[in-house]
Amino acid sequence: MMDGHEVTVVDNFFTGRKRNVEHWIGHENFELINHDVVEPLYIEVDQIYHLASPASPPSYMYNPIKTLKTNTIGTLNMLGLAKRVGARLLLASTSEVYGDPEVHPQTEDYWGHVNPIGPRACYDEGKRVAETMCYAYMKQEGVEVRVARIFNTFGPRMHMNDGRVVSNFILQALQGEPLTVYGSGSQTRAFQYVSDLVNGLVALMNSNVSSPVNLGNPEEHTILEFAQLIKNLVGSGSEIQFLSEAQDDPQKRKPDIKKAKLMLGWEPVVPLEEGLNKAIHYFRKELEYQANNQYIPKPKPARVKRGRTRRS
Ligand SMILES: O=c1ccn([C@@H]2O[C@H](COP(=O)(O)OP(=O)(O)O[C@H]3OC[C@@H](O)[C@H](O)[C@H]3O)[C@@H](O)[C@H]2O)c(=O)[nH]1
């Protein structure tokens, strides 16, 4: 919008919130539509960032059929729209297409190791078939597609109940609650800050690269190291609590970003601690906001019947 583009945001608010975009409401280049992509959408656009789908494991497992419909029927609808209006479509795919990877770090030519009937399948397989659909529309109908395989991302405007590790650990540390590590904490992840991802998505959309591209920060940590780091940054005395391991939890994950560097000239620039401090600041404010804005119904005064004095 700052570059002069008109932006239409389409959201069913399943995991999103109006508050995340309220500062744009009223801007001449901005429009917000309450719509679910599982239903067809008729608008005129040049580019489609197809970001729809819950992305946090607890959210996508909450209603696996809805997650599947969003990623299959929703993707077909968006590709249909792209075909009708001649728009370019960028699919937000995921590092989860690599499943519990046997190749490390993960390169785009790795086909992945996904359990097709496990609890994560609705998302993993949903995104895999969404990629397949993109390339079918590209080959059969000539639709221009871009596919970003997004690795773990965090930042301000995440929902307090998101359930992913970054928001969980920060909120637990801020509230003096135990940091919940699933399993031994030896599993690894690499976390990128949201502004790096946004820059990567825009660069990919406007590039001529139609094959999948990893977008992530290659700095890898164990989840236990990550818990310690967040505790230290918050200055929290919280304990670390070990809970049972999540089923099919990928044990190692780290993007190989050579392709993005070479073909998009993109790489993450926000250091992990700087990004985490911004997220900590945001969640601190969210806790204050919640404390001040919770709707607590006031007890109603008992209804007194205004009786007319009766004369006997
Ligand atoms: O409270 C928690 C939450 C999570 N974890 C662990 O932390 C690791 C990361 O978990 P998250 O839920 O943040 O995210 P995951 O890596 O499992 O999935 C994510 O991967 C890439 C994205 O595309 C997806 O949006 C998201 O599904 C996992 O090993 C998980 O078991 C904890 O130890 N404690």
Side-chain angles (χ1 to χ4, degrees):
M1 288 191 296
M2 304 310 272
D3 290 343
H5 301 293
E6 287 181 30
V7 174
T8 304
V9 170
V10 177
D11 203 335
N12 68 352
F13 301 107
F14 175 57
T15 58
R17 294 181 301 180
K18 289 193 188 111
R19 203 145 74 74
N20 286 353
V21 290
E22 72 180 354
H23 50 293
W24 292 115
I25 290 171
H27 190 284
E28 59 182 353
N29 286 349
F30 181 79
E31 194 180 348
L32 177 63
I33 301 179
N34 187 333
H35 177 87
D36 190 324
V37 292
V38 167
E39 306 297 335
L41 178 68
Y42 298 99
I43 53 174
E44 305 299 318
V45 285
D46 309 305
Q47 295 187 334
I48 301 166
Y49 288 85
H50 175 34
L51 313 172
S53 175
S56 149
S59 307
Y60 66 63
M61 289 180 204
Y62 169 75
N63 187 341
I65 297 173
K66 183 71 184 176
T67 303
L68 279 163
K69 282 187 181 172
T70 304
N71 282 296
T72 54
I73 302 169
T75 302
L76 282 176
N77 282 336
M78 290 304 102
L79 284 162
L81 172 66
K83 180 185 151 195
R84 186 174 65 83
V85 299
R88 180 179 288 180
L89 179 138
L90 181 147
L91 170 70
S93 184
T94 170
S95 54
E96 298 239 16
V97 299
Y98 302 124
D100 187 7
E102 292 156 313
V103 165
H104 193 76
Q106 292 80 53
T107 45
E108 288 88 350
D109 53 14
Y110 176 48
W111 288 359
H113 181 223
V114 172
N115 174 0
I117 55 167
R120 305 176 82 97
C122 57
Y123 186 70
D124 302 10
E125 296 289 18
K127 289 289 186 187
R128 286 167 67 95
V129 77
E131 289 195 10
T132 310
M133 288 171 177
C134 285
Y135 294 111
Y137 268 74
M138 182 175 95
K139 285 182 194 126
Q140 196 176 320
E141 305 289 349
V143 173
E144 286 190 18
V145 298
R146 304 287 179 264
V147 174
R149 291 192 178 147
I150 303 172
F151 284 65
N152 295 65
T153 305
F154 71 96
R157 303 211 177 97
M158 282 180 89
H159 201 287
M160 297 241 279
N161 298 332
D162 181 275
R164 270 174 286 189
V165 74
V166 179
S167 48
N168 278 5
F169 283 178
I170 294 178
L171 284 165
Q172 289 161 345
L174 284 172
Q175 295 176 101
E177 289 168 5
L179 272 63
T180 51
V181 170
Y182 304 156
S184 67
S186 60
Q187 68 272 37
T188 69
R189 292 292 186 275
F191 295 93
Q192 85 181 316
Y193 189 66
V194 62
S195 60
D196 282 332
L197 171 64
V198 172
N199 291 337
L201 292 176
V202 174
L204 176 60
M205 173 65 101
N206 297 301
S207 75
N208 56 8
V209 186
S210 59
S211 54
V213 179
N214 288 340
L215 293 178
N217 189 324
E219 188 185 321
E220 185 185 8
H221 290 278
T222 68
I223 292 302
L224 190 55
E225 280 165 10
F226 198 62
Q228 294 287 4
L229 175 63
I230 291 186
K231 249 181 67 140
N232 294 343
L233 291 176
V234 171
S236 162
S238 291
E239 287 171 11
I240 291 182
Q241 184 183 18
F242 292 90
L243 300 179
S244 50
E245 194 179 327
Q247 193 189 328
D248 296 343
D249 198 8
Q251 291 307 297
K252 271 176 159 225
R253 183 185 286 160
K254 167 189 163 127
D256 180 313
I257 58 164
K258 279 193 216 81
K259 186 169 174 183
K261 276 190 190 169
L262 184 73
M263 305 191 78
L264 309 178
W266 173 89
E267 64 181 310
V269 293
V270 180
L272 179 63
E273 290 197 10
E274 188 184 317
L276 283 175
N277 280 328
K278 287 184 179 167
I280 291 167
H281 175 77
Y282 160 79
F283 281 114
R284 216 177 240 132
K285 293 259 171 252
E286 281 293 289
L287 285 170
E288 281 168 23
Y289 178 90
Q290 200 189 43
N292 296 331
N293 289 279
Q294 249 177 7
Y295 175 68
I296 301 163
K298 291 202 183 88
K300 281 189 194 151
R303 267 181 76 185
V304 185
K305 249 191 182 173
R306 261 199 265 151
R308 274 177 276 155
T309 31
R310 267 225 204 137
R311 288 213 193 136
S312 52

